[in-house]
């Protein structure tokens, strides 16, 4: 499938006249559309709630859009809790899913009335000591260990991950003991959470995860006597970074979970359990672009195009070798007959947005759109080499552009220094 930018060259020329590259820009219409499609896919479950993973795109303007679409937040730090609060998202509209959690973060989560999702059995006594009580509503994270695989999915894409190597969650015996102990300490409403695979491109992943959690929930209620009121399917539903990859069908995914719910929970008398999700990548990745300008070319053993963005603006290619599609604006229909490494300016040889990528001939001053940066793009930025984080812009539904975060200045970088 061809990847097309959600902005045109003419729009970008107008935008760059006011906001210099590099910058991240997000598509309001696309964000709202995806939120509505997700909510519709799970409308059969009356209590369904998407708790957007703030870590993916910690930008108040984005959180407010999603709040208007009925979404809460999933937070993993004090700062994310504070951001949610300032956006008007409080109470059980927040799920606090952290690990190795400092005491002050549990205190703030409890103060906001957030649902606390405990990562480890030892956190029960820690939380009791920190708060002086156990909240009536509590959640625990499960790690089944071993490997998780769907083999070849119906879409022909293999889903494989290794929960046993992950630092998150409790073992099965720990989970049963945790529910008993939490019940003894006063918890009344229980939730169950697990995350088994990342960025899956399969309509089968969420239903497979749901079946595991639903079967486990039935056993937990039967063996411990707790009241499981919600199940958090977490994240893991991915996006098609490469043009040739399949695109997830959220309606089919929702229906697959629905079948599992009706087959497992309803016969067990648990047809009132509400579901929630904490999707970040699926909600935002495809609705963000990093826009950058070609400023240098280099002809040595390879052909290099130097742009004014770098890994400080988008770390995923340098960190994971991740693929992000690139469109040379104005040359969408030109032949891709030049092989380039598209690179940034950091003093690291992995500061490359593309390696041996076939693209149209790039001239200095060309605008490049790097696709699918709406999640884990800006949020993973950093200041190595004194590089400054870029602005974040919103392309609104009416075609206007709104500044959501200004670009950093040297004074921002110096603000915490003691001279």
């Amino acid at each position: 499938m061809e990847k097309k930018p959600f902005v045109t060259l003419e729009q970008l020329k107008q935008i760059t006249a006011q906001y210099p590259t590099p910058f991240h820009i997000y598509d309001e219409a696309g964000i709202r559309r995806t939120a509505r499609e997700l909510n519709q896919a799970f409308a059969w479950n009356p209590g369904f709630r998407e708790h957007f993973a703030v870590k993916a795109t910690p930008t108040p303007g984005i959180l407010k859009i999603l709040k208007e679409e009925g979404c809460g937040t999933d937070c993993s730090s004090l700062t994310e809790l504070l951001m949610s609060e300032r956006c008007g998202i409080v109470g059980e509209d927040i799920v606090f899913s952290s690990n190795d959690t400092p005491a002050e973060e549990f205190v703030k989560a409890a103060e906001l009335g957030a649902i606390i999702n405990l990562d480890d059995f030892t956190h029960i006594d820690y939380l009791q000591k920190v708060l002086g009580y156990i909240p009536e509503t509590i959640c625990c994270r499960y790690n089944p260990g071993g490997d998780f695989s769907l083999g070849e999915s119906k879409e022909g894409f293999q889903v494989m991950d290794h929960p046993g190597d992950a630092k998150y969650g409790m073992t099965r015996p720990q989970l049963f003991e945790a529910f008993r102990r939490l019940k003894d300490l006063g918890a009344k409403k229980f939730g169950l959470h697990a995350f088994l695979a990342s960025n899956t491109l399969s309509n089968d992943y969420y239903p497979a995860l749901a079946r595991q959690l639903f079967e486990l929930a039935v056993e937990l209620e039967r063996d411990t006597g707790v009241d499981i009121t919600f199940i958090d399917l977490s994240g893991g539903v991915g996006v098609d970074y490469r043009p040739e990859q399949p695109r997830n069908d959220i309606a089919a995914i929702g229906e697959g979970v629905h079948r599992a719910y009706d087959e497992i929970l309803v016969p067990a008398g648990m047809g009132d359990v509400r579901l929630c999700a904490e999707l970040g990548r699926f909600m935002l990745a495809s609705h963000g672009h990093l826009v950058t300008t070609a400023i240098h070319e280099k002809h040595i053993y390879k052909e290099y195009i130097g742009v004014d963005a770098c890994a400080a603006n988008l770390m995923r290619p340098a960190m994971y070798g991740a693929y992000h599609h690139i469109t040379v604006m104005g040359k969408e229909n030109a032949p891709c007959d030049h092989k380039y490494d598209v690179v940034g300016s950091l003093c690291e040889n992995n500061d490359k947005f593309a390696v041996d990528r076939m693209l149209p001939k790039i001239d200095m001053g060309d605008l490049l759109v790097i696709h699918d940066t709406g999640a884990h793009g800006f949020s993973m930025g950093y200041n190595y080499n004194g590089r400054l984080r870029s602005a974040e812009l919103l392309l609104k539904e009416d075609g206007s552009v709104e500044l959501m975060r200004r670009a950093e200045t040297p004074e921002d970088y110096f603000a915490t220094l003691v001279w």
Side-chain angles (χ1 to χ4, degrees):
M1 181 179 292
E2 184 182 359
K3 280 189 173 287
K4 296 182 178 180
F6 55 75
V7 286
T8 66
L9 177 58
E10 288 308 309
Q11 285 176 306
L12 285 179
K13 285 180 178 178
Q14 294 178 22
I15 294 168
T16 54
Q18 183 174 2
Y19 303 107
T21 58
F23 54 76
H24 285 268
I25 188 167
Y26 306 93
D27 178 24
E28 179 184 10
I31 295 168
R32 291 188 184 276
R33 182 175 62 251
T34 295
R36 292 169 189 174
E37 289 172 351
L38 172 67
N39 286 328
Q40 181 59 39
F42 286 88
W44 54 268
N45 182 255
F48 176 78
R49 175 61 61 89
E50 156 67 7
H51 296 271
F52 175 69
V54 177
K55 59 181 171 287
T57 319
T59 307
I62 298 297
L63 302 189
K64 290 176 182 178
I65 290 171
L66 292 172
K67 180 175 183 287
E68 290 173 1
E69 297 296 336
C71 302
T73 55
D74 180 272
C75 299
S76 57
S77 70
L78 176 62
T79 309
E80 291 179 358
L81 288 168
L82 292 170
M83 183 178 290
S84 294
E85 181 182 25
R86 291 183 65 168
C87 289
I89 302 168
V90 296
E92 293 193 356
D93 287 339
I94 301 174
V95 172
F96 182 58
S97 296
S98 63
N99 64 94
D100 196 20
T101 309
E104 64 177 351
E105 300 190 356
F106 277 137
V107 170
K108 184 61 181 180
E111 175 191 315
L112 292 177
I115 297 172
I116 294 175
N117 182 22
L118 294 176
D119 180 67
D120 187 65
F121 182 81
T122 63
H123 290 184
I124 299 172
D125 288 344
Y126 186 78
L127 185 66
Q128 167 78 11
K129 180 180 178 180
V130 166
L131 299 182
Y133 66 95
I134 292 294
E136 287 195 358
T137 300
I138 198 78
C139 186
C140 290
R141 181 167 184 167
Y142 171 56
N143 183 332
D147 296 326
F148 173 80
S149 177
L150 291 178
E152 289 296 325
S153 75
K154 285 182 291 189
E155 293 78 22
F157 186 85
Q158 188 176 41
V159 175
M160 179 74 180
D161 221 319
H162 310 283
D165 292 334
K167 67 176 182 176
Y168 310 106
M170 305 182 196
T171 67
R172 181 184 174 91
Q174 287 174 337
L175 189 67
F176 278 76
E177 183 59 27
F179 274 38
R180 294 188 185 96
R181 177 146 178 75
L182 287 164
K183 182 183 178 185
D184 291 343
L185 291 171
K188 300 189 182 307
K189 298 178 181 179
F190 288 77
L192 181 61
H193 168 285
F195 181 97
L196 302 187
S198 180
N199 194 41
T200 63
L201 292 177
S202 168
N203 294 334
D204 298 335
Y205 168 64
Y206 242 26
L209 168 65
R211 285 184 180 277
Q212 283 201 28
L213 290 179
F214 295 167
E215 290 170 354
L216 181 59
V218 171
E219 291 184 54
L220 282 163
E221 274 212 357
R222 182 190 65 215
D223 292 359
T224 66
V226 303
D227 181 16
I228 295 180
T229 61
F230 67 96
I231 294 174
D232 191 335
L233 299 175
S234 68
V237 178
V239 297
D240 50 327
Y241 286 102
R242 294 177 179 270
E244 68 273 14
Q245 289 177 320
R247 179 168 294 178
N248 280 321
D249 181 346
I250 197 63
I253 290 170
E255 186 52 38
V257 175
H258 193 179
R259 286 194 296 272
Y261 190 98
D262 285 349
E263 292 171 12
I264 299 168
L265 291 182
V266 172
M270 297 174 67
D272 59 348
V273 171
R274 69 179 184 89
L275 302 181
C276 50
E278 55 175 70
L279 298 170
R281 192 192 312 265
F282 176 79
M283 297 295 287
L284 254 294
S286 60
H287 305 309
H289 295 330
L290 174 59
V291 181
T292 184
T293 302
I295 59 173
H296 287 290
E297 56 186 325
K298 186 170 185 175
H299 316 285
I300 50 172
Y301 308 106
K302 302 180 75 173
E303 294 294 302
Y304 293 93
I305 295 294
V307 296
D308 59 2
C310 63
N313 306 113
L314 177 64
M315 187 194 291
R316 295 187 71 253
M319 187 174 186
Y320 305 122
Y323 179 95
H324 282 266
H325 199 65
I326 296 175
T327 296
V328 184
M329 298 302 291
K331 300 180 179 180
E332 293 87 345
N333 298 319
C336 294
D337 52 5
H338 285 63
K339 183 186 289 187
Y340 295 116
D341 282 14
V342 180
V343 303
S345 61
L346 294 189
C347 298
E348 290 287 347
N349 197 44
N350 64 356
D351 182 17
K352 298 179 178 180
F353 295 114
V355 176
D356 293 333
R357 186 76 58 88
M358 298 305 297
L359 293 166
K361 183 180 185 303
I362 297 175
D363 297 302
M364 297 304 92
D366 279 350
L367 290 170
L368 278 60
V369 161
I370 303 178
H371 290 253
D372 303 315
T373 66
H376 311 290
F378 180 94
S379 64
M380 296 177 72
Y382 58 110
N383 288 127
Y384 182 56
N385 281 173
R387 295 297 172 188
L388 304 174
R389 294 178 181 89
S390 68
E392 289 183 292
L393 309 177
L394 180 68
L395 178 65
K396 296 179 68 66
E397 289 183 296
D398 63 7
S400 63
V401 173
E402 178 180 293
L403 180 67
M404 292 196 297
R405 190 192 305 258
R406 66 167 175 80
E408 285 183 337
T409 68
E411 288 308 311
D412 295 321
Y413 181 82
F414 297 149
T416 57
L417 297 177
V418 179
W419 295 93

